Amino acid sequence: MSRKTIPKILAFVIVLLIVASGFSSCGESFKGRGPQPGGLDGKSFDYRAPKVVGRVASAEINEASGIAASKCQPGVLWTHNDSGDDAFIFAIDEKGAALGTWRVAGAENKDWEDIAAFKDAQGKCFLYIGEIGNNELERSEMKVYRVAEPSVSESNRNTRRANAPLTGRAETISFSYADARHNAETLMVNPRSGDIYILTKSRTETSGVYKIPAGQTDGKALTKLAEISVPAIPDGLLTGGDISPDGKRVVVCDYFSAYELTLPEGIADFDEVWRSKPLAIELGKREIGEAIGYSADGRSLFAISEKVRQPMIRVDRN
């Protein structure tokens, strides 16, 4: 058993012990704190029931830790493995079929935890990969890799690790935290501004929100911008997230459910979204749920889990 696996098992044990101690639950798979403000049980009314639309076909995707929908290539989703893999990214379709494998040039995978897609003002698409895991809190400097999105074609479909082509060379965005060392598994990029957001993961505290302004690459120490407390126990055990294509919603997940925050009507400052109340979205059964992202049109959510050939889960908006 790897050092990476142990904290996840401990997290599950902590959650199950707390729930077993008498805390109420809401939803078939979501173990939460009972009634929450804004909904009868803290759930979002904006989404339908989750559906399994396929399975991740490639056995090489065995610890999927992030998912992002391409903004340039319709129907293409990007994912990657956690720390047990090298610097590979995988393209899959919306049902989990393999579309190709690439090695990210100029990058290494010590503990990749999330991925985000971004389209700039010139129409060029990029992928941002979060080298942000820090389970033992040993590392003081974290990294985000920014790489031009590879072009998916029929000729790429049969590529695997052994014959994976290289991407363009990745740009490294380094940073640290001004207050303390943190573990994090959630990376987001604002589709309008290009600002990067890192959300920490904790079994004992709320999640902290840290912002890297667009264009910053100099290793600046980040100060906490906000905090998120989701309607779950623990309330800061976030494992993935994304910002909607219109820049008005944020989705995060933990091992049991998803939670969406919505920017209030008439508010232009995106950072006000962190003040809104997270509402739970049912994701169905996942083994170790660390990956969630919006579809390219923002009308659905996609979620996958660690382990081999896991279900592709889609949740559609009403």
Side-chain angles (χ1 to χ4, degrees), residues 47-124:
Y47 287 86
R48 302 171 190 173
K51 297 185 293 186
V52 174
V53 295
R55 285 189 176 270
V56 177
S58 173
E60 292 191 338
I61 304 173
N62 56 19
E63 202 175 357
S65 192
I67 190 168
S70 171
K71 305 299 190 294
C72 285
Q73 303 179 90
V76 174
L77 303 173
W78 292 95
T79 188
H80 59 86
N81 286 322
D82 213 321
S83 57
D85 202 2
D86 207 336
F88 293 105
I89 53 175
F90 306 89
I92 58 176
D93 71 12
E94 293 180 351
K95 293 186 178 180
L99 299 178
T101 303
W102 284 261
R103 180 186 286 274
V104 181
E108 60 178 333
N109 182 351
K110 290 183 178 179
D111 199 351
W112 286 9
E113 291 293 356
D114 207 356
I115 188 169
F118 177 71
K119 186 176 183 178
D120 69 13
Q122 289 72 45
K124 187 173 182 179

Side-chain angles (χ1 to χ4, degrees), residues 130-134 137 139-144 174-187 197-201 208-212 219-225:
E131 175 63 90
I132 55 177
N134 196 18
L137 303 181
R139 295 194 287 166
S140 59
E141 183 178 81
M142 303 289 104
K143 297 177 182 178
V144 175
S174 59
F175 70 94
S176 61
Y177 302 99
D179 50 1
R181 295 182 181 182
H182 295 289
N183 184 31
E185 297 192 4
T186 304
L187 166 76
Y197 293 86
I198 309 294
L199 278 59
T200 62
K201 176 187 180 184
V209 179
Y210 295 81
K211 177 179 176 179
I212 305 174
K220 182 178 179 181
L222 308 181
T223 57
K224 186 186 294 185
L225 174 68

Side-chain angles (χ1 to χ4, degrees), residues 29-282:
S29 298
F30 166 66
K31 300 296 187 281
R33 270 198 297 229
Q36 299 292 315
L40 295 178
D41 52 7
K43 291 184 180 179
S44 170
F45 299 131
D46 293 333
Y47 287 86
R48 302 171 190 173
K51 297 185 293 186
V52 174
V53 295
R55 285 189 176 270
V56 177
S58 173
E60 292 191 338
I61 304 173
N62 56 19
E63 202 175 357
S65 192
I67 190 168
S70 171
K71 305 299 190 294
C72 285
Q73 303 179 90
V76 174
L77 303 173
W78 292 95
T79 188
H80 59 86
N81 286 322
D82 213 321
S83 57
D85 202 2
D86 207 336
F88 293 105
I89 53 175
F90 306 89
I92 58 176
D93 71 12
E94 293 180 351
K95 293 186 178 180
L99 299 178
T101 303
W102 284 261
R103 180 186 286 274
V104 181
E108 60 178 333
N109 182 351
K110 290 183 178 179
D111 199 351
W112 286 9
E113 291 293 356
D114 207 356
I115 188 169
F118 177 71
K119 186 176 183 178
D120 69 13
Q122 289 72 45
K124 187 173 182 179
C125 278
F126 296 88
L127 299 174
Y128 290 71
I129 304 162
E131 175 63 90
I132 55 177
N134 196 18
N135 278 296
E136 305 300 326
L137 303 181
E138 295 173 340
R139 295 194 287 166
S140 59
E141 183 178 81
M142 303 289 104
K143 297 177 182 178
V144 175
Y145 294 115
R146 179 178 185 263
V147 63
E149 180 179 326
S151 178
V152 175
S153 67
E154 190 63 32
S155 63
N156 303 133
R157 189 176 293 271
N158 294 321
T159 55
R160 300 291 185 267
R161 287 188 183 92
N163 64 337
L166 283 173
T167 66
R169 188 166 186 81
E171 173 189 11
T172 301
I173 303 165
S174 59
F175 70 94
S176 61
Y177 302 99
D179 50 1
R181 295 182 181 182
H182 295 289
N183 184 31
E185 297 192 4
T186 304
L187 166 76
M188 306 175 179
V189 179
N190 187 311
R192 294 184 173 181
S193 67
D195 294 335
I196 302 169
Y197 293 86
I198 309 294
L199 278 59
T200 62
K201 176 187 180 184
S202 175
R203 295 186 292 273
T204 59
E205 300 175 333
T206 57
S207 173
V209 179
Y210 295 81
K211 177 179 176 179
I212 305 174
Q216 177 180 304
T217 61
D218 60 1
K220 182 178 179 181
L222 308 181
T223 57
K224 186 186 294 185
L225 174 68
E227 293 182 345
I228 292 183
S229 176
V230 299
I233 299 172
D235 64 354
L237 200 72
L238 302 187
T239 60
D242 198 10
I243 299 173
S244 64
D246 63 5
K248 295 182 179 180
R249 291 172 284 135
V250 168
V251 68
V252 295
C253 71
D254 57 14
Y255 293 123
F256 300 103
S257 192
Y259 314 89
E260 190 171 59
L261 300 83
T262 302
L263 190 66
E265 288 291 332
I267 301 298
D269 182 2
F270 174 79
D271 288 334
E272 289 297 311
V273 75
W274 309 116
R275 298 176 179 269
S276 65
K277 177 186 61 190
L279 295 178
I281 302 168
E282 177 61 49

